[in-house]
């Protein structure tokens, strides 16, 4: 769902907010060569997202964009092993640790500067915050933590005919995600282990 307001009211020239719900499901069925165990795994990720941004011009020379975005992930991961000889089904922890949750929050500001025409100068700042929690495999203790960073960027661009040339300098930040923090599973011919 999204809502956009373009009525000029002094506070902003354009406002947009977005609310979303996303669901991702992955299922795997595995049986190793020569094994009598048939494994069924299921990961379901439900994500709620909220974002908003405002645009405000400062005369003819600057356009400010500022806003925020929030995403919350709730992960349900299950596994069951069925002995094909006896038919006995044994429930086990899924690939992701029980009660896995992950929240990502960002606040940003961008300034587009037209005063140096024919050059366009764009500068930006973003504060990012990430929070996670889960229960260790096998009914262990609860793990939780957070990461944050303030990053910046600046770019200059100029159009020459049909071509647009730009040069920029930007700082990036990638927080560990739930794959890094709370997932144990097989991949290719190896095993992936979590590291909170």
């Amino acid at each position: 769902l999204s809502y956009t307001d373009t009525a000029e009211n002094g506070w902003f020239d354009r406002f947009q907010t977005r609310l979303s719900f996303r669901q991702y499901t992955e299922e795997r069925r595995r049986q190793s060569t020569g094994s009598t165990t048939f494994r069924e795994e299921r990961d379901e990720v439900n994500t709620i997202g909220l974002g908003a941004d405002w645009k405000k011009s400062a005369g003819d020379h600057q356009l400010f964009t500022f806003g925020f975005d929030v995403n919350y992930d709730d992960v349900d991961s299950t596994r069951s092993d069925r002995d094909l000889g006896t038919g006995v089904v044994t429930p086990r922890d899924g690939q992701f640790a029980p009660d896995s949750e992950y929240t990502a929050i960002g606040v940003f500001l961008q300034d587009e500067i037209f005063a140096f025409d024919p050059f366009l100068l764009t500068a930006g700042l973003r504060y990012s915050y990430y929070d996670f929690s889960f229960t260790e495999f096998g009914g262990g203790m609860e793990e939780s933590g957070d990461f944050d960073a303030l990053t910046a960027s600046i770019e200059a661009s100029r159009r020459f005919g049909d071509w647009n040339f730009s040069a920029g300098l930007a700082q990036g930040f990638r927080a560990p995600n739930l794959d890094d923090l709370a997932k144990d599973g097989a991949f290719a011919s190896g095993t992936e282990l979590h590291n909170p």
Side-chain angles (χ1 to χ4, degrees), residues 108-143:
F108 56 87
L109 169 66
Q110 177 179 280
D111 184 10
E112 296 172 78
I113 304 169
F114 308 101
F116 307 106
D117 190 51
F119 291 94
L120 169 63
L121 188 65
T122 305
L125 278 175
R126 179 180 176 89
Y127 174 73
S128 302
Y129 174 82
Y130 300 87
D131 180 81
F132 74 92
S133 67
F134 63 88
T135 303
E136 271 291 357
F137 291 95
M141 295 177 56
E142 181 178 315
E143 292 279 356

Side-chain angles (χ1 to χ4, degrees), residues 43 95-97 137 178-185 192-194:
D43 302 326
Q95 284 204 30
F96 288 91
F137 291 95
L178 281 178
D179 269 7
D180 305 318
L181 299 165
K183 181 180 177 184
D184 285 355
E192 183 176 33
L193 298 176
H194 69 292

Side-chain angles (χ1 to χ4, degrees), residues 53-129:
D53 57 71
W54 293 261
K55 289 187 180 289
K56 178 65 179 170
S57 60
D60 296 330
H61 299 300
Q62 284 183 290
L63 176 63
F64 291 98
T65 304
F66 51 95
F68 70 90
D69 49 71
V70 180
N71 284 285
Y72 167 75
D73 295 331
D74 180 54
V75 181
D76 183 28
S77 186
T78 59
R79 170 184 161 186
S80 61
D81 292 349
R82 180 161 43 98
D83 188 309
L84 298 177
T86 64
V88 174
V89 176
T90 306
R92 302 195 183 281
D93 285 333
Q95 284 204 30
F96 288 91
D99 307 316
S100 289
E101 297 178 348
Y102 194 83
T103 304
I105 301 172
V107 180
F108 56 87
L109 169 66
Q110 177 179 280
D111 184 10
E112 296 172 78
I113 304 169
F114 308 101
F116 307 106
D117 190 51
F119 291 94
L120 169 63
L121 188 65
T122 305
L125 278 175
R126 179 180 176 89
Y127 174 73
S128 302
Y129 174 82

